Amino acid sequence: MNTAAIKFDAFENLKNQDCQQRILKARKVLGDEIVILGHHYQNEEVYRHADLAGDSLKLAKYVENLEAKYIIFLGVHFMAEVANILSRQDQITVLPDLSAGCSMADMANLAKVERSYRELNKVLDFDSEITPITYINSAADLKAFCGEHEGIVCTSTNAPKILDWAFNQKEKVLFFPDQNLGRWTGYKMGIPLDLMPIWDPDLPLGGLTEDEIKKAKVLLWKGHCAVHQMFRLEHIQHFKKNHPDGFVISHPESPFEVCLNSDLVGSTEFILNTIKEADPNTKWLVGTELNLVNRLANEMKAEGKLVQFMSHVVCECSTMARIDPQHLAWTLENIINGIPVNVITVPKNEAKFAKLTLDKMLEVS
Ligand code: 13P
Ligand code: SF4
């Protein structure tokens, strides 16, 4: 019987090609014992091994119906946590590199959210007036906070439905951690921008006056995605000048003026489906992560479609990119070895309340 896990050192310097062979070999040995889920932003070198791919909502829905003992998650930490929360107790979730986090998710933490709760209680009665909504890009303890305070989780796909649900419960929303998704969704519902002020969790009363808090409909957490923040109105203007018949499609994590000047705005799944279903020879400027755009551009060439990345600089999600063939091969061989590594386990008390909000989200959407 093996008593120690295989160390990563033995894989660190392996060539990608060698890793590919080892991954395929390990998959043959493990068969139905494992299922590999992959987010659309994953690099082609690992994405090709995903049994099921999707955006955050689709991946969360898949988890509910998986039979395999091991769920290998090609994505970032919060996604693997969601898989752990929604899977059966006897299933094991593995994230090949534990440092694959989400810099936007890190812009909110429980201490700051609890402090915001106390600050808002100085002006209002939080629990009777505010629904906390956390974007799925957040740690499990923030989902648990929402579970304990009649709140809910949303993704980029279901944000309009979730916001609508929230306003049927209470008057106001505290939306964290992505201000851009919150603002765009609220704006599309007809909420005036001045009723959606930024809530800075590091300032007393979020940097707002009592009056501004009382008037607000949505308090937007001061957080954003560093990848989508790179997209600019000038990129759209440049594209439209060169391709007046072209279309612009963006992820709602992009800045407000980018969303406002895009023809279409939606989740990664929406972007992929829209362009795949579009007429041949159409032209697209895409405001989302580079790996997705590059893969789509290659796939669409056969139909004569031009798929162009929005920024002139490389905007890869560097944390997503930490999941590489070396880490995937390493984790699979450790499962064969009988000592799984990089297992994601959300503490039971957190998982209970986080599951409450995730189940509510799946029901509402
Ligand atoms: P999707 O749910 O649209 O895939 O978005 C997840 C994400 O992290 C986008 O940056
Ligand atoms: Fe997080 Fe942005 Fe990467 Fe999405 S693209 S996982 S929001 S850092």
Side-chain angles (χ1 to χ4, degrees):
M1 201 180 94
N2 295 310
T3 53
I6 308 163
K7 288 202 173 121
F8 182 63
D9 304 9
F11 287 77
E12 203 165 10
N13 297 317
L14 282 183
K15 289 202 181 98
N16 278 0
Q17 212 183 340
D18 295 334
C19 291
Q20 297 298 350
Q21 280 166 14
R22 289 174 81 144
I23 293 166
L24 294 175
K25 204 168 149 200
R27 295 215 62 172
K28 270 202 180 138
V29 177
L30 291 165
D32 293 346
E33 258 198 295
I34 63 160
V35 61
I36 302 184
L37 300 191
H39 186 264
H40 295 308
Y41 290 167
Q42 288 290 297
N43 189 290
E44 191 51 38
E45 296 283 351
V46 289
Y47 190 81
R48 66 175 69 155
H49 297 291
D51 299 306
L52 298 163
D55 64 1
S56 310
L57 183 62
K58 202 169 169 186
L59 290 168
K61 283 182 177 167
Y62 280 142
V63 171
E64 294 203 301
N65 302 307
L66 297 177
E67 285 304 322
K69 178 170 177 197
Y70 295 97
I71 301 167
I72 317 296
F73 215 105
L74 310 177
V76 286
H77 199 270
F78 76 82
M79 295 178 180
E81 280 189 335
V82 169
N84 175 241
I85 295 165
L86 295 178
S87 58
R88 294 190 317 265
Q89 297 247 321
D90 60 317
Q91 288 175 309
I92 294 170
T93 306
V94 169
L95 180 67
D97 186 342
L98 292 180
S99 69
C102 163
S103 56
M104 175 215 278
D106 294 342
M107 289 184 184
N109 60 40
L110 190 58
K112 287 186 184 197
V113 169
E114 283 180 339
R115 193 165 64 221
S116 300
Y117 177 79
R118 289 192 297 274
E119 286 295 295
L120 283 163
N121 266 327
K122 289 178 186 167
V123 182
L124 309 159
D125 177 24
F126 190 113
D127 286 326
S128 64
E129 293 179 71
I130 304 179
T131 300
I133 301 182
T134 187
Y135 188 21
I136 197 164
N137 295 38
S138 58
D141 55 1
L142 299 195
K143 295 181 176 91
F145 173 92
C146 289
E148 286 180 89
H149 295 277
E150 298 175 357
I152 196 162
V153 181
C154 78
T155 72
S156 56
T157 295
N158 61 24
K161 276 189 190 159
I162 300 291
L163 212 59
D164 200 43
W165 173 88
F167 283 122
N168 281 323
Q169 315 298 311
K170 290 169 195 173
E171 247 177 75
K172 298 178 194 293
V173 161
L174 172 64
F175 192 97
F176 46 89
D178 185 22
Q179 57 170 293
N180 289 318
L181 176 65
R183 185 180 294 108
W184 180 248
T185 311
Y187 174 78
K188 291 300 279 181
M189 282 180 79
I191 302 172
L193 292 176
D194 62 335
L195 299 188
M196 295 191 283
I198 291 178
W199 176 264
D200 184 340
D202 295 322
L203 295 176
L205 295 185
L208 300 172
T209 62
E210 289 196 14
D211 207 41
E212 283 170 328
I213 293 174
K214 282 182 186 152
K215 263 174 50 193
K217 290 291 286 173
V218 184
L219 294 156
L220 297 169
W221 193 268
K222 197 179 174 197
H224 64 268
C225 165
V227 178
H228 289 82
Q229 201 65 15
M230 304 290 280
F231 303 133
R232 299 262 170 275
L233 179 58
E234 300 88 87
H235 299 141
I236 297 179
Q237 288 164 338
H238 185 75
F239 174 80
K240 286 276 186 183
K241 205 168 135 202
N242 290 336
H243 306 285
D245 54 342
F247 302 97
V248 180
I249 188 164
S250 303
H251 195 280
E253 287 173 16
S254 305
F256 182 70
E257 61 174 2
V258 168
C259 293
L260 200 57
N261 287 281
S262 295
D263 298 298
L264 295 159
V265 178
S267 74
T268 56
E269 192 75 16
F270 172 79
I271 293 173
L272 285 169
N273 290 340
T274 304
I275 298 180
K276 282 180 183 173
E277 285 160 18
D279 289 339
N281 305 316
T282 45
K283 295 166 191 160
W284 295 87
L285 182 71
V286 185
T288 199
E289 205 264 354
L290 188 63
N291 281 302
L292 179 155
V293 182
N294 281 346
R295 190 178 311 117
L296 190 60
N298 282 333
E299 275 175 42
M300 294 298 106
K301 266 185 200 149
E303 294 178 34
K305 292 179 205 170
L306 172 78
V307 177
Q308 199 174 302
F309 184 58
M310 192 174 282
S311 174
H312 303 302
V313 294
V314 174
C315 309
E316 194 189 44
C317 176
S318 56
T319 46
M320 283 264 180
R322 293 196 175 135
I323 309 293
D324 55 19
Q326 288 71 16
H327 283 89
L328 180 55
W330 173 59
T331 43
L332 294 184
E333 289 192 21
N334 268 303
I335 293 174
I336 295 172
N337 186 43
I339 305 174
V341 291
N342 291 8
V343 172
I344 300 293
T345 313
V346 177
K348 273 209 174 92
N349 55 334
E350 263 174 39
K352 184 178 139 200
F353 285 108
K355 186 167 181 336
L356 209 79
T357 42
L358 285 163
D359 285 344
K360 204 187 284 177
M361 173 192 82
L362 292 171
E363 196 189 304
V364 174
S365 61

